[in-house]
């Protein structure tokens, strides 16, 4: 492993928790170079919703490449781009009665967020944005400025201004009415809040600690934005593409955001790809006003189109995700009950789930134990106090149960035998 | 083509100049869905230095995917990452006596720039950066703030501050000494220039109009930075990976930047990948202080390692690029001479070449003529006044000559028969 | 009046409500050029706490000028400066057991605020400041950025960043615990709140609508700041110099701010003068790091020293102010009771008092009626919904009662005979 | 002197060079409390153009105060304000054919600058401002951001952005054409310069080292601004009110700025007062959009009106100032000639004059020697390398010669006998 420590920057992080050298992967399993196998409850931080090297998508991908079809095309028209747009329109937008223009903002989630923020500011002529406590939206300057984590913010090296944080759902554990503060500031001409161009929000905060907003809270937020002519951006980079059940995490709430960001699992195969969806009347860009080299990675379009057709032409996957999510929830609730003095809390929605520890260190210890037992999962939350699982949506019940059994063992190892 | 206009944002640009729907590509050729072929002098804006679907890389890529090797890995250790680091170290860094730590900053060039700027600010505790007139570094907020183009800057929607532009080489056509103004501001305690953390510069400005800095200017810049303890960042996203001859565009000048950004052709196959290289003593990140979902796209590592081994283990490609560049130069010089009243200027270095028109519209007209004749090339420069060519480095002499012949015809069509 | 409309900018405001041309003034009375007299319940927006042309101060001032003593001295040592410092130290600081260094920041309140913010940022190395809803601190960029009023903020012409508003006392009418939100953001490492250098607060918000903070709230704020190592700046520009009873408005709460700003009535005679008080260990300025032409207006020092000696060597004025304040309060409470359907609210502390109208327009109408009846008073609050009175502290009981009688008439004229 | 060191912040600066305690002053003389007298070549940093306690103005001032006329009036109409406006219009604006609206922006120069910048941004909808190397405009955040001095800028505690410095006249000692760089950046759509709302400039830079711009340079600047629709703000705070001869320092150049700031000597007596003059069509403020407590200090209006009538109803003072300035110039030129090896440079215009030393320390030493000999003068320039004199315009020829004789002695004492 010398080469890594010699050559790679010390900014690397996952390789510190999981020092294995991984080589192959299939479905929910990863294999290191010594052949040891690991059940993957991390799934590329949500980038592998259909599992590693999903065989259906793999076939499409290899065929695409074998036929020497266009790989890199910026924003030129390609048959792959058309195929993707058709699949996305027919299977995702139309059935949900959603009318969006598609921006290809660049290869990653931060590009999608930057594009949304730029466009929101252009549309409204305002600079300020409202974000939420413990939100995470990316590491480029624009995206970082609406991200909560103080260590990550500190890395910017310049003051991150132009954003004001508001309390996310349940920030005060239900004690105070939703948006009582935000709305008061908006309506008070002397509040000192710069009128925001947009609100950016996640339906479930993954990095923030698997905090799931209630549907009602999201609806109230959407209404508040409409009332005050603020654009609503839902960042569905981690929670979209079926992670919480429906294709979009906000479907359950019945809202229609002004803009939506997608990335991570949108290609279906772990390839870089991102989208910013905008309501048609908001599409006021000049040609080329936002651009980028990697806006047209056709192999990603090919796997994306296939994933969408295969998994989103009916509700099989959605129902399966919800069911599996409920299984996880019941197992986590059992742990909460089994260790009453440990102060555990089960969190999340769909297959984005977390187990929060009162003693933050224990969450990390459980993950370390899991790695020893061949299970990959990580922590999240401001103090890394939440054990987070994001299994592939295509995980089998047996695999899921196997992983949950390991978690039981790890929790027991850390907390004592209940 | 209805689906594109119906669904895609009007921010799209290349598809306006080239309304064909492209389907397949091989080497220096692209094919639209009707089978019409186009000679590609654009090469993915420099992302396809080894041609479309390079067969050597294609084999490696398909093998990699076929074997179900890890595709997506964030910053986990993988065999593919190790293989890339070894190839890069052995064939790129060591022979050039360069000692850099490698940051995987995210999938695209803007990520590489954002990471460099963040780290430079963290290291120095200063916020300001000096950029150069007509520089281009990307479209996320941090990268955009050091980019010159006013239309693109306007898209930010907030004031882009923290950067002060200085004149690029030859900005005054040799009339004034290099850095006379910059150095004066640095040494004058009352100049009002915020002491910069870093200078960010391209050796050849591609988007800025194919402006090639003299080696001496780059050396003077490096010395100035050293003298005033300012970090020197060379953005080699478009001009690195052999575009100007050597692997890095700054080799010719014999300088060693504090940080280097790479992207575009680094994967060799048009797949998203980016690197930020930093001198070891500058690698002061905290683990995870910069991160991102697409920092470990192993198929790109695989093609990158193969491209590096194949093309950079000796100087064959470098010599070929220089030779082909000289061919282009002589042909462009001939055009300059043939149309004395048109005020043409030949620009660029290596296989990054431009032909500047006094009447900016003519540059676009020549490109439009070229498209009609099956040749893809675009304009650049602040007024789109430069006809720009970035052929694959692997282009054959015949193909190159064929394209240059078409250019002759197009120029004649626009300017009249000389 | 042609000359005013011809020559003066339309930014003027008070002359719109009170179109008389004033010529002379004495104590609580102003006289226009036609000899009409007006009882002044405005007192220079709090700059004339000892009345117009206070005869004791006038004598000192004319003597000072007659003797050709130094008028303008920047920050040179003068006998007048020494005399002021001695009087201030002996009568204001020492009896209150306060240990402050005195900064002479420039002629006006905004200079005092700018100096405090600059020093707080220098001390802490942080950029962000927390202000409060409906706070008012001045019109220069630094002071304006911590001011709430949206019309005034809009005048800045650049985004006002670096400040985050928090709810002032009673912003939610007692429904939520003090600082529940602020403290939560400070302790949550993922909140997205930039760690503030300082909090800036008024004990009573004059421009904000005569909102008086409870002593307990101020104590809790001081504790919170101490706990989180945030500097506490009390802006006592309008509410200091005895306006609420004690010399400093925060005395009642028993807190010791890290910095205090004073201006308005500090000279005692309406002459421009301002102070920034800082705890000795915070006085880390370099010589000349903050400066200004009008830091040493000695006539103002002379009247200030005399005012301090005359009015602050015992508690006569303080007791009188409190008593007069209670008289106003009882009269305002009577109005509240007399017009139950009008939804009036009595506000303020000491001789800073307000009567808030549910129908904002009525506040302005009452002031207009008062002007017709020879009484000067203005509105404040985000919607100009508060009728505000700031009589000279030296007003006689007869004058005060006379003015309050006029107010009764005006309220009746606007609301009907109750 | 204990009280000063015990109570006053260490930010104080002039009292370090001149540790006397001053008590009285008359004309060009100051007297310390021990009766020692000092010839004042500093004149309140330009705030005392008519000398200390000018007897004509003193009489008006004492009469005004004795009659209990209004002292403090915010922006209410007063007879004093009308009298000032009439005198200013008749004697200053009309004879020069200038058409300006008068803003009373607050008590000091920084307020005048802040008001001008705010209005320029509001008018143009742009945020950026161009300032000049070694410009000085004040210490509040907006004014500081266009000031050059790095120590003063550092005191801001936040990045000072929104301004880009351009080279002042003769910054390159005549080697390069005026505005070659500025104009190039303005016309190049890829330069990266944010289109400025305004340019702010001093005709002679006092703090910057007594740098006098040529009339031609100012005219070229005015033309450039007009051509590019940038507002031209001349900051005449130190150099206006006759300091260079004419009332406005820009008269000689024959330009008409869009906005002009005045302060320092505008009251004539060292009392705080400031004006922002704006062309009528630019007066787009909302009522109250800029305000402040000390916008109407009537005693300052009274002395100002008297000073204007007495000194600006004919050209006596102007001619006298020019003549005295030429006397100083010839004496300084003689010093330059007398000490060829010392590399002295005579600088300035009118009665704003400087003697620049190659060895910066010598400038300070000369000033220290002068203080010992009873002459008050200070240094300026980025390295404090310029011995600066700003005598009262009312100084007698004898006094002026006396001071210049002392300077000869001091220079000899420092440089040796030539």
């Amino acid at each position: 492993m010398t080469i890594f420590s010699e050559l790679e920057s010390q900014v690397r992080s996952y390789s510190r928790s999981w020092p294995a050298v991984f080589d192959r992967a299939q479905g929910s399993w990863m294999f290191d170079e010594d052949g040891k196998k690991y059940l993957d409850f991390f799934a590329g931080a949500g980038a592998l919703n259909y599992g590693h090297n999903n065989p259906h998508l793999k076939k499409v991908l290899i065929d695409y490449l074998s036929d020497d079809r266009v790989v890199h095309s910026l924003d030129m028209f390609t048959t792959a781009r058309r195929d993707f747009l058709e699949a996305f329109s027919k299977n995702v937008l139309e059935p949900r009665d959603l009318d969006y223009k598609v921006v290809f903002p660049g290869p990653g989630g931060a590009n999608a967020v930057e594009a949304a923020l730029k466009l929101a500011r252009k549309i409204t002529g305002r600079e300020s944005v409202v974000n939420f406590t413990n939100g995470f939206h990316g590491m480029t300057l624009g995206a970082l400025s609406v991200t909560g984590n103080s260590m990550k913010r500190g890395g910017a090296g310049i003051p991150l201004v132009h954003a004001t944080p508001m309390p996310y759902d349940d920030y005060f554990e239900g004690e105070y009415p939703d948006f009582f503060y935000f709305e008061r500031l908006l309506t008070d001409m002397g509040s000192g809040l710069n009128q925001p161009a947009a609100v950016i929000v996640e339906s479930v905060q993954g990095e923030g600690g698997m905090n799931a907003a209630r549907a009602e809270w999201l609806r109230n937020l959407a209404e508040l934005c409409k009332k005050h002519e603020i654009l609503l951006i839902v960042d569905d980079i981690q929670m979209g593409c079926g992670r919480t059940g429906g294709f979009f995490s906000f479907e359950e709430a019945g809202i229609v955001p002004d803009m939506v960001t997608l990335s991570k699992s949108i290609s279906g195969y772990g390839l870089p790809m991102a989208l910013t969806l905008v309501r048609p009347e908001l599409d006021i860009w000049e040609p080329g006003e936002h651009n980028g080299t990697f806006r047209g990675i056709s192999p990603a379009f090919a796997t994306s189109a296939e994933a969408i057709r295969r998994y989103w032409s009916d509700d099989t996957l959605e129902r399966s995700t919800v069911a599996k999510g409920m299984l996880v929830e019941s197992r986590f609730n059992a742990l909460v009950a089994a260790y009453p003095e440990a102060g555990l809390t089960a969190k999340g929605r769909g297959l984005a789930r977390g187990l929060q520890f009162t003693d933050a260190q224990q969450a990390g210890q459980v993950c370390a134990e899991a790695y020893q037992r061949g299970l990959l999962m990580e922590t999240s939350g401001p103090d890394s106090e939440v054990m987070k699982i994001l299994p592939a949506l295509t995980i089998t019940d047996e695999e899921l149960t196997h992983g949950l059994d390991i978690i039981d063992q790890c929790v027991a190892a850390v907390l004592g035998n209940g």
Side-chain angles (χ1 to χ4, degrees), chain A:
Chain A
M1 259 170 264
T2 314
I3 186 81
F4 295 116
S5 55
E6 267 174 20
L7 269 185
E8 195 175 345
S9 162
Q10 56 183 328
V11 78
R12 66 188 176 77
S13 58
Y14 290 112
S15 55
R16 297 172 193 271
S17 311
W18 306 327
V21 179
F22 296 93
D23 186 43
R24 287 185 313 107
Q26 226 306 309
S28 289
W29 295 92
M30 297 190 79
F31 305 88
D32 72 16
E33 60 182 344
D34 301 322
K36 185 174 171 193
K37 68 186 215 175
Y38 302 81
L39 182 59
D40 186 2
F41 268 27
F42 182 58
L48 295 163
N49 282 1
Y50 312 112
H52 289 271
N53 296 316
N54 182 302
H56 309 292
L57 308 184
K58 174 179 170 180
K59 184 177 180 316
V60 165
L61 176 59
I62 291 181
D63 286 354
Y64 189 90
L65 294 167
S66 301
D67 289 352
D68 282 339
R69 296 182 65 197
V70 168
V71 164
H72 180 281
S73 66
L74 295 120
D75 66 1
M76 293 149 74
F77 294 148
T78 58
T79 47
R81 181 181 298 245
R82 181 167 59 199
D83 192 41
F84 162 74
L85 285 172
E86 285 171 349
F88 188 71
S89 178
K90 182 171 165 223
N91 297 286
V92 174
L93 297 182
E94 285 173 24
R96 289 161 184 81
D97 212 16
L98 293 170
D99 190 11
Y100 284 122
K101 288 274 189 177
V102 176
V103 178
F104 296 96
N111 303 93
V113 169
E114 295 264 347
L117 295 177
K118 284 164 70 172
L119 186 55
R121 285 164 167 150
K122 182 182 167 78
I123 292 164
T124 59
R126 304 176 207 140
E127 297 92 358
S128 186
V129 172
V130 158
N131 59 340
F132 288 97
T133 52
N134 290 295
F136 178 86
H137 303 285
M139 297 298 278
T140 52
L141 270 193
L144 192 52
S145 74
V146 290
T147 287
N149 186 286
S150 56
M151 189 267 276
K152 290 179 170 45
R153 290 175 71 83
I158 54 170
L160 294 174
V161 295
H162 300 301
T164 306
M166 289 291 151
Y168 193 68
D169 189 22
D170 206 33
Y171 198 58
F172 299 106
E173 291 159 21
E175 274 188 72
Y176 310 115
D178 299 347
F179 309 112
F180 70 99
Y181 183 47
F182 188 12
E183 181 150 32
R184 184 82 168 81
L185 291 183
L186 285 172
T187 51
D188 177 0
M189 296 309 290
S191 71
L193 182 76
N194 295 326
Q195 181 72 3
V199 159
I200 186 163
V201 69
E202 300 154 283
S203 303
V204 181
Q205 296 182 321
E207 294 305 300
M210 308 312 268
N211 311 311
R214 288 164 300 133
E216 188 195 349
W217 185 85
L218 289 170
R219 277 192 296 273
N220 290 346
L221 176 61
E223 247 171 67
L224 187 72
C225 287
K226 196 170 177 187
K227 186 169 152 195
H228 294 280
E229 300 186 335
I230 301 165
L231 296 171
L232 176 62
I233 305 170
V234 171
D235 181 341
D236 235 8
I237 290 171
Q238 191 171 55
M239 294 301 153
C241 303
R243 174 52 59 190
T244 65
F247 185 85
F248 295 110
S249 70
F250 55 79
E251 291 172 30
E252 191 182 316
I255 62 171
V256 179
D258 295 297
M259 301 189 195
V260 181
T261 59
L262 288 172
S263 184
K264 291 204 185 256
S265 279
I266 184 65
S267 85
Y269 210 75
L271 299 172
M273 177 175 166
L275 301 177
T276 304
L277 309 178
V278 302
R279 286 196 299 109
E281 60 271 36
L282 303 178
D283 182 30
I284 63 163
W285 294 111
E286 296 296 311
E289 198 172 355
H290 181 85
N291 66 18
T293 299
F294 296 118
R295 283 167 300 156
I297 302 304
S298 307
F301 293 161
T303 51
S304 184
E306 179 63 17
I308 284 167
R309 278 189 288 256
R310 179 162 292 270
Y311 294 106
W312 297 102
S313 55
D314 63 26
D315 65 355
T316 311
L317 181 68
E318 174 169 354
R319 282 185 293 110
S320 152
T321 300
V322 170
K324 285 171 184 153
M326 289 173 71
L327 170 61
V328 178
E329 187 175 22
S330 68
R331 293 287 297 261
F332 280 11
N333 282 337
L335 284 170
V336 170
Y339 300 91
E341 70 291 350
L344 306 181
T345 313
K347 304 175 80 175
R349 188 151 69 85
L351 271 173
R353 294 287 173 175
L355 190 62
Q356 181 174 305
F357 290 74
T358 302
D359 175 350
Q361 282 198 307
Q362 293 174 340
Q365 289 163 357
V366 168
C367 291
E369 290 282 339
Y371 177 69
Q372 293 305 326
R373 288 165 172 82
L375 177 68
L376 300 177
M377 59 183 189
E378 257 294 354
T379 59
S380 74
D383 301 309
S384 303
E385 77 281 21
V386 177
M387 185 201 87
K388 166 181 77 173
I389 73 169
L390 296 165
L393 309 183
T394 54
I395 196 168
T396 65
D397 286 343
E398 292 68 33
E399 289 165 338
L400 185 58
T401 299
H402 177 56
L404 292 169
D405 290 346
I406 295 177
I407 289 175
D408 284 354
Q409 296 164 27
C410 298
V411 171
V414 170
L415 297 185
N417 278 308

